[in-house]
Amino acid sequence: MSKLIMAQENKRIMGGPDKIFGVSNLAKKRIAEIGKDNVVNSTIGALLDDEGNLIVLSSVVDVLKDLAPKDYAEYAPIAGTPEYIDTVKKAVFGNYNPKGYVEACATPGGTGAIRNAIQNYTKRGDTVLTSDWHWSPYGTIAAEIERRLETYTLFDKEQKFNDSSFDEKLNQILKAQDETVVIINTPAHNPTGYTFTLEDWDKVNRSLKNAAKNKDKKITLLVDIAYLDFSGDADQYRAFFSKLEDFPDNILVLIAFSASKGYTLYGMRCGAILCMTPNKDIADEFKMVATFSSRASWSNGTRASMVVLSRIFADKALLSKVTEERNEYLSMLIKRGNIFMHAAKECNLTTCPFDSGFFITIPCKNADQIGEELQKSNIFVIPIGDGIRISIASISEEACSYIPAKIAAAVSKY
Amino acid sequence: MSKLIMAQENKRIMGGPDKIFGVSNLAKKRIAEIGKDNVVNSTIGALLDDEGNLIVLSSVVDVLKDLAPKDYAEYAPIAGTPEYIDTVKKAVFGNYNPKGYVEACATPGGTGAIRNAIQNYTKRGDTVLTSDWHWSPYGTIAAEIERRLETYTLFDKEQKFNDSSFDEKLNQILKAQDETVVIINTPAHNPTGYTFTLEDWDKVNRSLKNAAKNKDKKITLLVDIAYLDFSGDADQYRAFFSKLEDFPDNILVLIAFSASKGYTLYGMRCGAILCMTPNKDIADEFKMVATFSSRASWSNGTRASMVVLSRIFADKALLSKVTEERNEYLSMLIKRGNIFMHAAKECNLTTCPFDSGFFITIPCKNADQIGEELQKSNIFVIPIGDGIRISIASISEEACSYIPAKIAAAVSKY
């Protein structure tokens, strides 16, 4: 990139081609040429039905359309309406009862939550840790506020959680600085579909606790649960919360909540950052810094979406309706995953260890060329470094059954 | 404030009592005790009718309620939908045709626009300039990203724009650093209701151009037009745009647009940052950095509000309906201002030079005590440093006629 003229670099690397945008536009172009039935557009990070239409939970939109004019128009308090703050705890924890202090602050989607976590729990110049396979905006968020993202290797040779890489990188970072944020995106990790098992959590916790024995160190564990409600059984996929409650004061757990996927409110920018801590002072401090950062970045959140979520959780029948509607689509998504993974096995296509969610990743060299090769068969996927990301959320059951063989053929070519 | 435990200070000063929140709560409490007809709650920064109800433009909400499910649910592109980007230019400039390159990027309200302007056009540690009377979140926004707000004296002894203070502070800042952002909130400045005259703009421009003769210096002029559509005649109050078009390349003009007031979409978080520049490369760079910062802070904006504004501006009849509905409330607001200023004159109450908008400021010492004194008469106002801020937007015509005498009496006591 060329030097900036009027704007300040501020240690960021900006510009460069946007791969997702580029491939997505190619897919749209091809659809315009030969019709959507003949194109597999696996570039979209949103849940579509088998006909390629965005799935919108009608039970949620009905509530949104039924609000009073004031509910759309009025400012929400900076941290969110009191009802929303209560609601978001229910939406996150479900039937699980956290033992410590939980505070929450509204944010525009998960992005705002992650931004405010990094901004408040690290210093400029600090390094933040996540896995090699990760949602690329983590790096953008860190860079924009002059932090740096470092990665550990998520999977070992047995395709299990690589706890020794995690431990090594964590200690490396804490040798150079006194505080860090560790981002874990689970369940249904983007882009691999991996879900941390309870045993994985035990290993994470061992590392964190070991590192935290040095009381000069402050570790913030940020769990990004963007895909929680599209992973599987609501209770089973919340069991990991029990692994986040036995930490010393210098390990703080934050949760990034987003209503984008679970309530199909992507465009309404409804999310929250929550803390879990046994220390009330740390919870109060969290509330203060999260509110301050919100006030200074976007002021307040979208009130209408807060009212919608609050109404849903205040009305048992309505909540059941939303849950049932979502579960139908969850079944559809799980079926797609099963079909894809079955077909992948049939043709010996190696994937990252997939559990659930919107995405499956094929580790491979020459991802760009493989992506282009697939485009010849009208299949559009996103190359992500050493792999390609398949969005099973955006393609039909039928496509899930036949594209693994096409991918295997393309991979074998390079 | 005590030392932080887990969070990082990052050079910010957080916490401390929130005055607006505090006084506003006292007002609500009193209303609960003696009824809203007996309380003047002049603490609210939103337009209320004479009965104390939030004014919502029904023509706008009708469009919002009538959207397709997808319009609420789907993500908008990071910089905003293409239709919104076109629309926002029309909403800002009205019948004025800017000569140079105009680019725009969606933001959550005016706050997001101001945040991204400071973040991209200054460096950490830099000082940003605005007037002594100013909207206090400017300081919060600057502090959160480790910048500092410096102020010049807005009014001279003749109660005119104090161009020599402006010039002095600008040069002082540019002696210490190579780049700065200058924030001017006009028309209908919050908190004074002052509007920069075309002559004021000539003086501002003279200072800016003088300072910009040194080509190492980069000055970004950020005009916060939050109250533009509630200031007065649409064309007359846009005449100042002609004063923003004759700058060298090292002066960049940015406009912070908000749909909060003009379209009563406060809670929908709909805004934009725009640039005006004769240099296409600088416009392209603006688009890139504004989009990057958005992606890293809140990802994308509220799509529903973008669609609403786009629909309004795509339909002449609908635009007329919205404008006519707004103009009725604008007339109401102007009448309140006239009545207040007339009554103030009658009782020799000095105000800052008021032109239009939501607020009037009474300069005074001992603002806190005067505020408390007024509370004895069930009048609630916000003490802001060396003055008290009256929100004529939130009080009735009747209250505007009688509270100046009460304020004059309270001021004379201290």
Side-chain angles (χ1 to χ4, degrees), chain A residues 5-8 10 12 65 67 73 115 119-120 123-124 144 218 266-267 269 285 293 300, chain B residues 5-8 10 12 65 67 73 115 119-120 123-124 144 218 266-267 269 285 293 300 303:
Chain A
I5 315 163
M6 274 298 283
Q8 299 299 322
N10 291 335
R12 302 168 298 181
K65 290 195 95 148
L67 300 186
R115 188 264 173 209
Q119 169 71 357
N120 283 298
K123 293 178 189 150
R124 173 170 56 127
E144 210 262 346
K218 299 176 182 185
Y266 310 89
R269 314 312 300 128
E285 175 181 287
S293 280
N300 47 85
Chain B
I5 314 163
M6 275 298 283
Q8 299 299 322
N10 291 334
R12 303 166 299 181
K65 290 196 95 150
L67 300 186
R115 188 266 173 208
Q119 169 72 355
N120 283 298
K123 292 179 190 148
R124 233 163 262 250
E144 210 265 344
K218 300 176 182 184
Y266 309 89
R269 313 314 298 133
E285 175 181 287
S293 280
N300 47 85
R303 186 191 191 94

Side-chain angles (χ1 to χ4, degrees), chain A residues 34-303:
Chain A
I34 61 172
K36 66 178 177 177
D37 292 346
N38 301 307
V39 174
V40 177
N41 184 2
S42 178
T43 67
I44 301 166
L47 192 61
L48 310 185
D49 64 21
D50 277 4
E51 281 69 50
N53 303 309
L54 183 75
I55 287 167
V56 183
L57 296 180
S58 62
S59 53
V60 173
V61 168
D62 287 350
V63 181
L64 182 54
K65 290 195 95 148
D66 193 42
L67 300 186
K70 211 177 151 174
D71 288 328
Y72 305 108
E74 206 176 4
Y75 283 125
I78 305 291
T81 63
E83 297 78 18
Y84 179 68
I85 292 171
D86 280 350
T87 295
V88 105
K89 295 175 191 172
K90 294 178 197 160
V92 167
F93 295 111
N95 294 321
Y96 182 79
N97 281 315
K99 289 196 286 276
Y101 293 93
V102 173
E103 284 289 351
C105 180
T107 61
T111 301
I114 295 156
R115 188 264 173 209
N116 277 1
I118 297 176
Q119 169 71 357
N120 283 298
Y121 292 94
T122 64
K123 293 178 189 150
R124 173 170 56 127
D126 272 352
T127 296
V128 165
L129 182 64
T130 197
S131 51
D132 49 356
W133 297 114
H134 64 264
W135 185 54
S136 67
Y138 290 155
T140 314
I141 295 167
E144 210 262 346
I145 46 176
E146 298 181 41
R147 275 73 166 171
R148 214 176 59 82
L149 195 67
E150 176 68 85
T151 60
Y152 65 92
T153 306
L154 181 54
F155 303 118
D156 64 17
K157 281 179 183 162
E158 276 78 48
Q159 296 287 76
K160 305 274 182 202
F161 170 58
N162 194 334
D163 59 312
S164 70
S165 175
F166 177 83
D167 191 68
E168 187 193 330
K169 289 288 181 176
L170 177 67
N171 286 307
Q172 224 170 64
I173 290 170
L174 289 174
K175 205 175 261 183
Q177 63 196 53
D178 278 342
E179 61 286 326
T180 193
V181 169
V182 177
I183 310 176
I184 295 182
N185 173 211
T186 190
H189 173 255
N190 176 2
T192 66
Y194 185 70
T195 295
F196 274 56
T197 65
L198 296 182
E199 294 70 36
D200 294 345
W201 275 113
D202 286 336
K203 290 172 187 169
V204 167
N205 291 4
R206 208 173 305 141
S207 280
L208 294 176
K209 283 180 188 170
N210 255 328
K213 278 181 188 161
N214 179 343
K215 294 300 165 200
D216 292 338
K217 304 298 174 185
K218 299 176 182 185
I219 307 171
T220 299
L221 172 63
L222 173 60
V223 190
D224 178 357
I225 58 164
Y227 298 92
L228 174 61
D229 285 320
F230 273 106
S231 52
D233 177 76
D235 291 331
Q236 186 192 326
Y237 277 84
R238 280 172 173 82
F240 78 95
F241 284 125
S242 67
K243 299 290 182 183
L244 307 179
E245 305 228 69
D246 180 32
F247 288 128
D249 277 1
N250 59 334
I251 298 175
L252 175 63
V253 176
L254 302 183
I255 310 282
F257 166 77
S258 167
S260 293
K261 287 89 186 173
Y263 300 85
T264 65
L265 286 174
Y266 310 89
M268 288 296 289
R269 314 312 300 128
C270 182
I273 178 93
L274 296 88
C275 77
M276 297 172 72
T277 169
N279 183 320
K280 188 175 182 307
D281 291 337
I282 291 173
D284 290 345
E285 175 181 287
F286 162 82
K287 185 85 180 187
M288 180 185 71
V289 298
T291 307
F292 183 90
S293 280
S294 294
R295 208 291 156 257
S297 302
W298 48 74
S299 188
N300 47 85
T302 314
R303 186 190 191 94

